[in-house]
Amino acid sequence: MTLTSSPDTAAVPDRARIPWLYAVALGILSVGAALGFGNLVAGVFLPSSSPFLAVGDTVIRFSPEPLTEFAKTTFGTADKPILLSGMAVVIAVVAAVAGLASRRRPGPGLTVVVVLGLAGTAAVVFGPAFRPVALVAPVVALLVGVATFLFLHRVAQRPTPPAAARAPRNVTPAVESPPSRSMKRGVALGRRSVLFGAVAVAALAAGGASLLLGSGIADARRVVTERLARVRLVETAPPIPANADFAALGTPTFLTRNADFYRIDTALQVPQLTADDWSLNIHGMVGRETALTFDDLMSRPLVERTITMTCVSNPIGGELVSTANFVGVDLRDLLLDIGVRPGADQIFTTSSDGWTTGTPTDVVMEPDRGAMLAVGMNGEALPPEHGFPVRMLVPGLYGYVSACKWIVDMELTTFGARRGYWYQRGWAQKAPIKTQSRVDRPAGFATMPAGTVTCAGIAWSQSTGVGRVEVRMDGGPWRDATLTTAVNGRTWRMWRIDFELAAGSHTVQTRATDLAGRTQVETRTDPIPDGASGWPATIFNVT
Ligand SMILES: Nc1nc2c(c(=O)[nH]1)N[C@H]1C(S)=C(S)[C@@H](COP(=O)(O)O)O[C@H]1N2
Ligand SMILES: [Mo]
């Protein structure tokens, strides 16, 4: 017996060896069809039940902290597309190997397809917010994967229908000669490629259609935006003065457009929660347990506040800081109504995708802190990426200990009783925002013309406010920069200053001091565990 059997000599036609290219395609198409249909079905039933995204979420949840930190700081907001692409490559390689392992018998490859399917199902089942309906998508994906694999395996192994079935028995060879071998080949390739191609198109169509399935969030947001336009605010944010930034010199604009607002979260797929579906369960050490609907929230007095948010992961000079006008309910007032029992030192919040954090109760209950449950951002409903329909905000605390997006649960408890997501991963339990400054102009390693060189940037110290920014060139004496009009203590403030500089390499450094007289710390530390410190230094050239 030979290892390679030609179609003519194979005793058992379905043991024919599949050409390697078809074997690779067999594996990839089976798994691709499974993922495409899994995504489509998830889109119809429950978006968070997509097996592919659930596996991604699981990868994030179990990634060691240094890896996630590396991903966040290296790729920023692109970390998620990069993770998903990486996963797609790994899965494609595994699928190709599965195909190659099944060039004769379907068994080995089929096993791999089933294992992948079960992994996707497990990721959904053990995900943060499992509901039985979430099983539909991964189970459909598994079945589609198995069926596609078996179907394509047959197609690949039986390129042509058996000769006997094709050629009429009693036709004389002289009249109609049997197809030559090369012709048979052509027919085989044709049929096989057509069927493989059809499966590829179906898988892509299913995957593509899942993207088109609007989640209804756009409509739900429009309704909330219109509602917000009609409400009477009990507290409005004063208009931002025209000279509140040095955007013409390269600082950010005072208010950050929603599309430009920095985004940090662990959600691979933005939770698809509508205002109608939303409710917030407030329980634990409270006066009376309360379940708030969106209407309940909107019927409370609504306030508008201009707040600068900062991420603890922001490195010196980093971009993870933005400012917006937020509309929502005053959180202190709400908690005073509900009642907080003595000893409840932690407000533990959970998002609809299972992320958690703990915020110090005493900070939220400070009369001037301005903590809120926000529903609006810069004149619109919260964008889905920023927590639609409701998120929490506490000026002066880094986002990871205060700013729960897609918030659905609030438990008044103690710090001893529950540990939030990032605290479990080595970050500080409490994290007030550190006074910081940043140089926006000149950009690092920029070349500026000799003479008067204008430097400009931002500084923040929520929720005290920036009182002073000092700047020095090449280690020289500190000079006071000109500051923009202060908007409020919860927001950043921009600065500018001119230097007369000769040609050569220069280094500009800044340090901010808040209105309570606390100066930005000189010692450089990493973001972990409670935020980066140190004076920024920007090197540039003058010619
Ligand atoms: N549900 C949820 N909320 C979250 C997070 C998250 O991962 N999940 N990340 C927090 C962190 S670390 C920050 S800095 C802020 C960022 O809010 P933004 O994306 O709206 O700028 O959200 C916070 N709220
Ligand atoms: Mo953050």
Side-chain angles (χ1 to χ4, degrees):
M1 183 176 157
T2 52
L3 277 175
T4 50
S5 52
S6 75
D8 300 322
T9 57
V12 191
D14 50 358
R15 288 287 161 80
R17 200 155 175 243
I18 299 172
W20 71 269
L21 205 57
Y22 276 96
V24 166
L26 160 70
I28 291 180
L29 286 181
S30 309
V31 174
L35 292 177
F37 281 92
N39 236 23
L40 179 60
V41 172
V44 173
F45 288 94
L46 183 68
S48 63
S49 66
S50 152
F52 183 62
L53 295 175
V55 168
D57 280 327
T58 310
V59 170
I60 293 180
R61 214 156 335 118
F62 291 104
S63 290
E65 154 48 40
L67 185 65
T68 51
E69 199 42 34
F70 168 80
K72 262 197 288 179
T73 48
T74 314
F75 308 123
T77 310
D79 58 349
K80 289 176 189 122
I82 287 174
L83 169 70
L84 291 178
S85 318
M87 263 172 54
V89 170
V90 170
I91 291 175
V93 169
V94 171
V97 170
L100 287 171
S102 281
R103 289 182 68 183
R104 242 178 251 283
R105 295 161 199 278
L110 195 60
T111 309
V112 176
V113 171
V114 169
V115 167
L116 284 178
L118 290 178
T121 310
V124 169
V125 170
F126 297 110
F130 177 70
R131 287 190 272 150
V133 63
L135 270 177
V136 180
V139 168
V140 166
L142 177 59
L143 296 178
V144 167
V146 167
T148 311
F149 191 88
L150 290 175
F151 171 69
L152 289 181
H153 198 272
R154 264 182 80 120
V155 170
Q157 237 170 8
R158 293 209 189 161
T160 47
R166 245 184 314 118
R169 280 273 154 86
N170 44 10
V171 174
T172 36
V175 179
E176 201 167 309
S177 62
S180 69
R181 239 184 111 172
S182 64
M183 272 178 72
K184 267 196 216 165
R185 259 225 151 119
V187 171
L189 275 181
R191 183 178 123 87
R192 201 153 54 175
S193 336
V194 165
L195 287 172
F196 268 67
V199 169
V201 169
L204 282 175
S210 70
L211 297 180
L212 293 180
L213 268 184
S215 54
I217 293 297
D219 293 336
R221 280 194 68 227
R222 204 168 312 122
V223 171
V224 173
T225 299
E226 284 163 10
R227 238 173 125 167
L228 285 172
R230 289 193 302 268
V231 297
R232 278 270 300 275
L233 301 168
V234 297
E235 173 189 329
T236 52
I240 306 300
N243 54 358
D245 62 44
F246 290 126
L249 294 177
T251 72
T253 53
F254 193 86
L255 291 178
T256 315
R257 290 177 343 122
N258 286 354
D260 299 333
F261 204 97
Y262 86 87
R263 173 187 171 198
I264 291 287
D265 54 61
T266 58
L268 258 187
Q269 163 156 284
V270 175
Q272 311 284 306
L273 200 62
T274 66
D276 289 340
D277 291 342
W278 182 85
S279 74
L280 175 63
N281 193 21
I282 306 180
H283 61 108
M285 300 166 73
V286 291
R288 61 187 155 83
E289 297 214 343
T290 306
L292 279 181
T293 64
F294 195 76
D295 283 339
D296 294 338
L297 205 65
M298 292 293 283
S299 62
R300 292 187 64 89
L302 290 177
V303 298
E304 181 189 33
R305 289 172 186 155
T306 312
I307 297 169
T308 297
M309 290 185 61
T310 316
C311 181
V312 69
S313 297
N314 194 41
I316 302 288
E319 302 280 335
L320 303 179
V321 53
S322 303
T323 303
N325 271 332
F326 292 97
V327 168
V329 160
D330 185 273
L331 183 53
R332 176 177 186 265
D333 281 354
L334 177 66
L335 289 177
L336 286 176
D337 285 354
I338 288 171
V340 175
R341 297 221 298 265
D345 59 2
Q346 177 175 228
I347 301 176
F348 194 83
T349 50
T350 306
S351 67
S352 66
D353 67 332
W355 185 83
T356 55
T357 193
T359 309
T361 311
D362 54 355
V363 174
V364 168
M365 297 311 276
E366 285 172 19
D368 295 328
R369 177 62 62 163
M372 55 199 289
L373 289 179
V375 292
M377 182 170 177
N378 289 332
E380 309 173 4
L382 285 177
E385 303 76 30
H386 297 290
F388 182 79
V390 185
R391 77 174 307 168
M392 190 165 131
L393 290 173
V394 184
L397 300 185
Y398 287 118
Y400 85 105
V401 286
S402 63
C404 189
K405 306 194 265 192
W406 315 291
I407 186 172
V408 291
D409 192 275
M410 179 180 286
E411 179 182 349
L412 272 291
T413 179
T414 63
F415 274 108
R418 298 205 65 179
R419 299 150 58 89
Y421 185 95
W422 287 113
Y423 178 51
Q424 288 173 30
R425 287 161 176 78
W427 294 78
Q429 190 171 49
K430 298 183 183 177
I433 294 174
K434 294 180 179 177
T435 302
Q436 266 295 349
S437 54
R438 185 178 86 189
V439 179
D440 291 321
R441 174 198 169 101
F445 308 108
T447 299
M448 311 290 279
T452 305
V453 173
T454 302
C455 302
I458 57 179
W460 61 87
S461 182
Q462 308 93 309
S463 55
T464 313
V466 170
R468 181 181 194 189
V469 173
E470 295 164 284
V471 186
R472 70 176 176 188
M473 195 62 68
D474 306 318
W478 288 104
R479 290 175 51 203
D480 276 298
T482 305
L483 300 181
T484 49
T485 311
V487 170
N488 67 47
R490 301 169 187 144
T491 56
W492 55 20
R493 208 167 166 187
M494 279 68 169
W495 58 267
R496 66 163 289 169
I497 189 169
D498 291 345
F499 285 89
E500 297 303 319
L501 295 180
S505 169
H506 296 279
T507 303
V508 59
Q509 267 195 301
T510 57
R511 64 176 188 200
T513 301
D514 71 14
L515 286 165
R518 286 179 296 248
T519 299
Q520 181 177 347
V521 176
E522 176 177 12
T523 318
R524 282 208 165 225
T525 60
D526 284 337
I528 192 164
D530 63 355
S533 70
W535 297 336
T538 294
I539 302 173
F540 62 100
N541 276 304
V542 166
T543 51

